[in-house]
Amino acid sequence: MKILKKVVFTGLIGVLTLGVVGCSSSKEDESQLQSIKDKGVLTVATSADYPPYEFHKKVDGKDSIVGFEMMIAEEIAKDLGVKLEIKDMKFDGLLGAIKSGNADMVIAGMSPTEERKKAVNFSNVYYNGEHTILVKESNKDKYKNIEDLKSANIAVQKASLQETIAKDVIKTKDIKSLGKISDVILELENNNVDAAVVSKEAISGYLKQYPDLVESNVNLGENQGEGSAIAIDKSQDKTLVDQVNKTLDELKSKNKIEEFVQKATQLAQ
């Protein structure tokens, strides 16, 4: 009888312990999302030199960070019931910003690569862009395929998917990695590199600014990357990722993201 009571008592303690752990976990889960709501601000880190994703534009005489991804960020903040704060920095410093707590998430045309997934959680992919090779018009016939580019000096944005393409698809050994896409374009314009790997959506403004730069005929293949997703630190609970995905699903169901892309593209021109 004593043994039976001991077993029952031990079982009750186990159930109570699990209940306490469950409650604690629930409170912790809630606090990670709740902290953003409590402070009333969603802080998003980005690299604002990547039109139409995100870029600087004077709006009503004031320098503002705009772009279709910033429109997405505004919708996420709205659904959370908070204000949006945008922090502009170099692309290679973005993940560090959320790891250090200086930002809640990264929205910057970032692909959810397997390597990045080791450090952060990602939302669902919300946009699939294309990549292209820029060259001087005088060199267009010189660089017609990937084989031609293997011996070329290629500029890319540091820590970007374009850097991976240069290394793993083109397999060039002469890569110049720079912090900003504008620096990448300038290096090509100044003849410091032979070519640049860039996002197709991000170059329309630069091509108008530098008419001697053109897209090459190099085919990079169909599988150029994993698309764009929002990065959130792994210390944040999945409830924040789930909330972000809820907003993204709503936007996609209404074709709002494509609408945002069109608006941002026009704004960038």
Side-chain angles (χ1 to χ4, degrees):
M1 190 68 175
K2 286 183 181 180
I3 294 174
L4 179 59
K5 285 182 179 179
K6 187 174 181 181
V7 170
V8 171
F9 180 74
T10 303
L12 285 172
I13 291 294
V15 170
L16 288 171
T17 302
L18 286 172
V20 170
V21 170
C23 290
S24 173
S25 175
S26 176
K27 286 181 180 178
E28 183 182 343
D29 292 349
E30 182 186 13
S31 68
Q32 292 170 344
L33 178 58
Q34 194 65 38
S35 62
I36 295 172
K37 295 183 178 181
D38 289 345
K39 68 181 179 178
V41 178
L42 172 67
T43 305
V44 170
T46 194
S47 185
D49 61 342
Y50 204 53
Y53 290 73
E54 47 270 328
F55 54 100
H56 286 267
K57 180 87 174 180
K58 280 208 170 182
V59 179
D60 297 327
K62 180 183 176 183
D63 179 62
S64 303
I65 297 175
V66 297
F68 81 83
E69 288 192 319
M70 297 303 96
M71 296 177 194
I72 293 173
E74 287 169 2
E75 293 297 323
I76 293 170
K78 188 192 300 182
D79 286 350
L80 290 172
V82 299
K83 294 180 180 178
L84 175 65
E85 177 188 24
I86 301 170
K87 290 188 176 181
D88 185 16
M89 58 191 69
K90 290 183 178 180
F91 191 86
D92 59 335
L94 291 172
L95 293 186
I98 55 174
K99 296 296 288 181
S100 64
N102 288 326
D104 299 310
M105 58 184 65
V106 167
I107 308 180
M110 184 170 282
S111 296
T113 63
E114 291 305 315
E115 188 63 29
R116 287 174 181 152
K117 284 179 182 178
K118 295 175 184 177
V120 296
N121 289 325
F122 278 99
S123 71
N124 296 334
V125 170
Y126 53 84
Y127 187 73
N128 283 286
E130 295 181 68
H131 300 89
T132 189
I133 305 290
L134 281 189
V135 295
K136 281 291 185 74
E137 188 170 22
S138 57
N139 286 332
K140 191 171 183 179
D141 290 336
K142 182 178 179 181
Y143 301 109
K144 294 182 289 187
N145 53 54
I146 288 178
E147 196 65 33
D148 294 337
L149 286 166
K150 286 186 176 180
S151 58
N153 183 2
I154 298 177
V156 294
Q157 189 173 35
K158 189 175 182 181
S160 69
L161 181 59
Q162 291 85 26
E163 186 177 58
T164 302
I165 290 171
K167 290 177 180 177
D168 298 343
V169 178
I170 300 172
K171 297 182 179 178
T172 180
K173 299 192 183 302
D174 197 352
I175 299 173
K176 194 165 191 176
S177 300
L178 302 163
K180 294 189 174 184
I181 190 69
S182 53
D183 294 335
V184 170
I185 300 295
L186 203 57
E187 283 295 282
L188 180 58
E189 172 64 18
N190 292 336
N191 296 308
N192 293 327
V193 293
D194 303 310
V197 185
V198 292
S199 163
K200 201 175 183 72
E201 294 86 353
I203 60 172
S204 60
Y206 292 114
L207 292 180
K208 288 182 179 180
Q209 187 176 355
Y210 305 110
D212 58 331
L213 301 185
V214 296
E215 289 187 69
S216 73
N217 293 322
V218 175
N219 182 3
L220 290 172
E222 294 181 5
N223 299 319
Q224 297 178 19
E226 296 87 351
S228 298
I230 294 169
I232 299 170
D233 189 50
K234 279 189 180 291
S235 67
Q236 294 284 2
D237 177 71
K238 285 279 188 156
T239 51
L240 181 56
V241 176
D242 292 341
Q243 180 62 45
V244 168
N245 283 335
K246 186 177 177 181
T247 298
L248 293 175
D249 289 344
E250 181 72 12
L251 291 174
K252 285 189 282 189
S253 70
K254 296 178 179 178
N255 293 320
K256 282 289 184 180
I257 293 179
E258 287 300 327
E259 182 183 314
F260 291 165
V261 172
Q262 291 175 15
K263 285 182 179 178
T265 301
Q266 291 173 0
L267 196 59
Q269 293 175 354

